[in-house]
Amino acid sequence: ETGVTQSPTHLIKTRGQQVTLRCSSQSGHNTVSWYQQALGQGPQFIFQYYREEENGRGNFPPRFSGLQFPNYSSELNVNALELDDSALYLCASSFQGDNSPLHFGNGTRLTVT
Amino acid sequence: AQTVTQSQPEMSVQEAETVTLSCTYDTSENNYYLFWYKQPPSRQMILVIRQEAYKQQNATENRFSVNFQKAAKSFSLKISDSQLGDTAMYFCAFMGTNTGNQFYFGTGTSLTVIP
């Protein structure tokens, strides 16, 4: 069983730039969720993708967008980066329909300077 | 809106002893799931234990057990025979069946197991 993998592990960007984070879901899972974890905080829900469409969104502005591909992998895109976007971005996969728990990757640490 | 509160930012326990981490939540839903996740320095969130709200019996997983009090909206985690590898951040999480698989997390409790 292949677990959730994320790339890159670390990233440094400048304010105003754009960034793309990538995630491969665990085998057998069809749903991908993205979470933002600021330092010292719990993860905050950004959005979820199921069947290549956004299937729920948290309180994040439109400059946070995503994609899900036919193989269930996913991308998180953030435009016009702000200093407050510095955080650990966690991808989690699950199987839609059985209220299954989230299975997380190791995250991408994004630093915006 | 759902909220999850963990009122203990930091805790410590002697190796082989027992420790209990607290969690309370607020929701208007009747059907939901509760989870405890562990986040070691490697950053990966690892599922520790899961509880379905419709089950009265408390979940157990080896050394880990929960005390689920639905009326009080309380969901504490008990770790027995603590081991050095249990040192990590612990997050309580809520998922309502009406909220599209969105998880709500608390702010976490940093647990240190002392040799």
Side-chain angles (χ1 to χ4, degrees):
Chain A
E1 180 179 88
T2 305
V4 178
T5 58
Q6 292 186 243
S7 63
T9 55
H10 296 85
L11 201 54
I12 299 174
K13 288 287 190 178
T14 303
R15 188 171 51 184
Q17 286 187 316
Q18 178 267 343
V19 69
T20 297
L21 310 182
R22 294 179 173 83
C23 171
S24 294
S25 61
Q26 181 168 313
S27 59
H29 288 176
N30 57 12
T31 302
V32 174
S33 303
W34 287 91
Y35 286 78
Q36 181 195 65
Q37 187 178 15
L39 196 62
Q41 299 296 315
Q44 298 289 316
F45 177 70
I46 303 175
F47 45 54
Q48 180 185 86
Y49 276 81
Y50 171 61
R51 291 185 174 176
E52 302 178 46
E53 292 190 359
E54 189 176 287
N55 183 40
R57 187 178 185 93
N59 189 26
F60 281 81
R63 58 189 187 83
F64 285 78
S65 63
L67 288 171
Q68 185 183 31
F69 301 99
N71 66 353
Y72 306 120
S73 65
S74 177
E75 287 182 355
L76 164 65
N77 299 289
V78 187
N79 293 324
L81 284 167
E82 301 177 0
L83 297 180
D84 285 348
D85 295 334
S86 295
L88 180 67
Y89 288 84
L90 295 167
C91 172
S93 70
S94 58
F95 187 79
Q96 183 83 347
D98 67 352
N99 297 309
S100 64
L102 298 175
H103 296 260
F104 286 87
N106 285 355
T108 293
R109 172 74 66 191
L110 173 64
T111 302
V112 182
T113 62
Chain B
Q2 276 66 232
T3 59
V4 178
T5 302
Q6 294 179 249
S7 58
Q8 304 155 315
E10 295 181 359
M11 292 193 72
S12 61
V13 62
Q14 290 290 140
E15 193 175 5
E17 296 297 309
T18 296
V19 64
T20 299
L21 309 183
S22 300
C23 172
T24 59
Y25 58 94
D26 190 23
T27 183
S28 58
E29 296 193 43
N30 192 48
N31 296 320
Y32 50 87
Y33 297 79
L34 295 163
F35 305 84
W36 279 97
Y37 278 87
K38 166 185 176 181
Q39 188 178 40
S42 67
R43 307 184 322 201
Q44 185 177 20
M45 299 278 280
I46 301 166
L47 177 66
V48 175
I49 199 164
R50 162 184 170 165
Q51 174 80 43
E52 293 87 348
Y54 62 85
K55 289 186 178 179
Q56 292 186 341
Q57 186 174 7
N58 290 323
T60 62
E61 285 288 341
N62 301 314
R63 298 183 295 109
F64 299 89
S65 61
V66 299
N67 183 5
F68 173 48
Q69 302 289 329
K70 190 173 183 179
K73 295 180 180 176
S74 171
F75 183 60
S76 61
L77 173 69
K78 185 172 81 171
I79 306 174
S80 303
D81 185 26
S82 296
Q83 301 176 0
L84 297 178
D86 295 334
T87 294
M89 284 291 292
Y90 286 81
F91 292 94
C92 177
F94 169 99
M95 185 194 81
T97 55
N98 294 330
T99 53
N101 289 354
Q102 176 179 342
F103 278 53
Y104 296 85
F105 288 85
T107 53
T109 296
S110 177
L111 176 68
T112 300
V113 179
I114 302 167

